[in-house]
Amino acid sequence: MARMRDETKRAVILGTAKMLFSQKGFFGTSISDIVRESGLPVGTIYTYFESKEAIVRTIVEEGWADLYGRLQAALSQARSPEEAFQALLDRFVPEILGDLDLINILLAEAIDYTRIEEKLEKLVDLLYPLLKSIPRVEQALQGLSRRTLTSALAIYFLGILNAAKISRSRNIGLKLSDITGFLKLQLAGLMGVKVGGQP
């Protein structure tokens, strides 16, 4: 008889694995570590996931899908392209930077399982038409191609994630609010949107 699936147990497995992958690395974490930390029997782990790779894929895909879905909803509710970018700056950036475990997993040796290139392409699909719809941006970025935007997003996105990771692990006087503040100033200047109530 097949075991009944319990979403609470599945969530415990994912939460435990996410913390361990972030702290010890993907290759430094074993299924035994997940068993020990979660308090669940090894059979329960394999009831939900066939392998450690399946666990890390699930952590990244579900975490990303949730974040991306909320970003998509926020952008679709915006009344203007400028308001959409404000939502991007105010919600998406702080939310992703607030999940250090996910950042560590995205940037760690498990990158082969995270398909980060697909995530960047989805961001480009969302942001490219938005950028092109703002006359000031279109003018400032004449000749902006999808390839250029993909490169820019990769540089900004991966750079920001690395800065957040470093700021949490080393005392260099950099806070997450500093990172988001800098990004807001950069993008707001380009878009002509307000940051912190200032034009």
Side-chain angles (χ1 to χ4, degrees):
M1 181 194 285
R3 295 182 205 181
M4 293 287 291
R5 287 179 164 244
D6 177 346
E7 286 306 307
T8 303
K9 288 180 182 174
R10 183 179 184 276
V12 167
I13 294 165
L14 290 173
T16 302
K18 184 178 180 181
M19 183 236 353
L20 288 170
F21 292 154
S22 174
Q23 291 175 358
K24 298 175 67 172
F26 176 72
F27 294 115
T29 302
S30 67
I31 291 292
S32 298
D33 294 328
I34 298 169
V35 166
R36 184 177 53 258
E37 289 293 323
S38 69
L40 296 171
V42 68
T44 299
I45 307 293
Y46 285 112
T47 296
Y48 294 90
F49 303 99
E50 65 186 30
S51 65
K52 188 170 73 164
E53 292 80 6
I55 295 172
V56 79
R57 281 189 193 104
T58 301
I59 290 167
V60 171
E61 294 308 317
E62 289 182 5
W64 181 260
D66 177 57
L67 194 60
Y68 186 83
R70 284 184 280 132
L71 173 63
Q72 239 179 343
L75 295 184
S76 69
Q77 292 169 4
R79 294 176 298 230
S80 68
E82 291 82 6
E83 191 176 296
F85 266 97
Q86 197 68 51
L88 172 73
L89 294 170
D90 291 340
R91 293 184 197 170
F92 181 75
V93 172
E95 281 185 33
I96 196 161
L97 294 183
D99 192 346
L100 186 61
D101 288 341
L102 184 60
I103 290 172
N104 285 339
I105 292 168
L106 284 169
L107 297 176
E109 67 269 9
I111 199 162
D112 291 340
Y113 306 109
T114 64
R115 299 196 319 251
I116 201 162
E117 64 282 353
E118 290 177 13
K119 287 149 189 62
L120 286 170
E121 278 301 316
K122 283 189 79 169
L123 282 177
V124 170
D125 290 342
L126 199 61
L127 298 178
Y128 186 72
L130 190 57
L131 280 168
K132 297 293 262 181
S133 71
I134 302 174
R136 179 177 173 162
V137 175
E138 175 70 14
Q139 212 170 32
L141 299 175
Q142 285 184 358
L144 176 72
S145 67
R146 283 185 57 85
R147 182 176 172 89
T148 305
L149 181 59
T150 302
S151 299
L153 272 177
I155 292 163
Y156 266 103
F157 184 65
L158 296 176
I160 289 166
L161 293 182
N162 270 306
K165 182 177 179 177
I166 292 167
S167 74
R168 294 260 180 102
S169 63
R170 300 283 184 258
N171 186 11
I172 60 171
L174 184 65
K175 299 176 188 168
L176 291 182
S177 60
D178 297 328
I179 298 167
T180 56
F182 172 76
L183 185 62
K184 283 181 180 186
L185 284 174
Q186 292 290 305
L187 292 177
L190 177 65
M191 309 298 157
V193 297
K194 296 179 182 179
V195 176
Q198 299 298 318

